[in-house]
Amino acid sequence: MKLSDYAKSQGVSYRTAWNWWKQGIIKGRQLPTGTILVDVENSEPGTTIACIYARVSSSENKSNLDRQAERLNQYAVAKGYVIQKVVKEVGSGLNDNRKKLNAILSDKSFNVLIVEHKDRLTRFGANYIEILLSKTGRRLEVVNNVENNKDDLMTDFAAVITSFCARLYGMRRAKRKTEKLIQELQANGDDETC
């Protein structure tokens, strides 16, 4: 694959990929025309092929998303991993239906999923994802395993309460709509019998 395509697939600039090639971090060859071809497919057996997953909760933190992905990229390169893809997602860690995360979990082209903190993957249930990955010959690698501090726990608690309140209000609204529909049907039924 061309170095420019490789850089895009890794979520890094062309210059960063070029520096990696010059330093021998990534393998490839240069054609007489000057084009650099990166040899990704012919990785050695036992090579760790990584998928990087970066997530932030809101679009206000989008700049942090790019920095998070870059830190994870540097980590994977330092460990000697071949980076298959870099996935960046904006969404709540409480949402269990994130499209990009679901696609990653279905993709078997990598053998290690790298996240910065467990809560960047999901607020709850990371152990289930670890089990799922292990059953398919893959694993989860958390770069920073520092335990959540009190502020993080309070943020999680507030997020759970907010989520439950939203569901409760949604159920009340659905109940009111159903009751209104039944009343309209009964009213229309009475009109037809007259």
Side-chain angles (χ1 to χ4, degrees), residues 101 104-108 110-115 121 126-141:
L101 178 59
I104 288 172
L105 295 175
S106 300
D107 182 1
K108 294 184 180 170
F110 64 91
N111 53 21
V112 63
L113 175 60
I114 302 174
V115 296
L121 180 63
N127 292 333
Y128 298 124
I129 292 176
E130 285 186 83
I131 292 168
L132 169 71
L133 290 171
S134 71
K135 292 294 182 186
T136 57
R138 299 174 291 167
R139 65 184 171 86
L140 174 65
E141 189 165 325

Side-chain angles (χ1 to χ4, degrees), residues 1 17-18 23 30 56 67 72-73 89 101 112 114 141 151 168 172 174-175 178 187:
M1 123 181 355
W18 186 83
Q23 295 168 4
Q30 189 168 15
V56 291
R67 289 191 305 271
L72 292 172
N73 241 320
E89 189 164 40
L101 178 59
V112 63
I114 302 174
E141 189 165 325
D151 293 336
L168 181 62
R172 287 180 185 164
K175 182 180 176 186
T178 303

Side-chain angles (χ1 to χ4, degrees), residues 93-105:
L94 293 172
N95 182 355
D96 64 350
N97 194 22
R98 282 177 271 143
K99 291 180 182 178
K100 291 182 180 181
L101 178 59
N102 290 342
I104 288 172
L105 295 175

Side-chain angles (χ1 to χ4, degrees), residues 176-194:
R176 284 194 308 269
K177 286 175 104 174
T178 303
E179 289 171 349
K180 184 177 178 184
L181 179 64
I182 291 170
Q183 288 173 354
E184 288 177 9
L185 288 172
Q186 288 174 341
N188 287 340
D190 291 340
D191 292 344
E192 291 178 10
T193 58
C194 293

Side-chain angles (χ1 to χ4, degrees), residues 109-175:
S109 64
F110 64 91
N111 53 21
V112 63
L113 175 60
I114 302 174
V115 296
E116 192 166 37
H117 300 276
K118 269 191 181 181
D119 70 350
R120 295 297 89 201
L121 180 63
T122 183
R123 290 288 183 180
F124 303 104
N127 292 333
Y128 298 124
I129 292 176
E130 285 186 83
I131 292 168
L132 169 71
L133 290 171
S134 71
K135 292 294 182 186
T136 57
R138 299 174 291 167
R139 65 184 171 86
L140 174 65
E141 189 165 325
V142 180
V143 174
N144 189 347
N145 261 327
V146 175
E147 291 296 319
N148 284 344
N149 61 23
K150 188 168 69 172
D151 293 336
D152 286 344
L153 291 175
M154 291 307 294
T155 302
D156 287 347
F157 181 69
V160 168
I161 297 299
T162 302
S163 176
F164 286 157
C165 288
R167 283 186 180 179
L168 181 62
Y169 292 137
M171 289 180 353
R172 287 180 185 164
R173 184 174 48 242
K175 182 180 176 186

Side-chain angles (χ1 to χ4, degrees), residues 64-84:
N64 185 31
L65 183 64
D66 295 332
R67 289 191 305 271
Q68 185 183 144
E70 181 59 30
R71 285 190 303 270
L72 292 172
N73 241 320
Q74 291 171 357
Y75 171 84
V77 168
K79 296 272 289 199
Y81 297 166
V82 173
I83 302 170
Q84 174 71 20

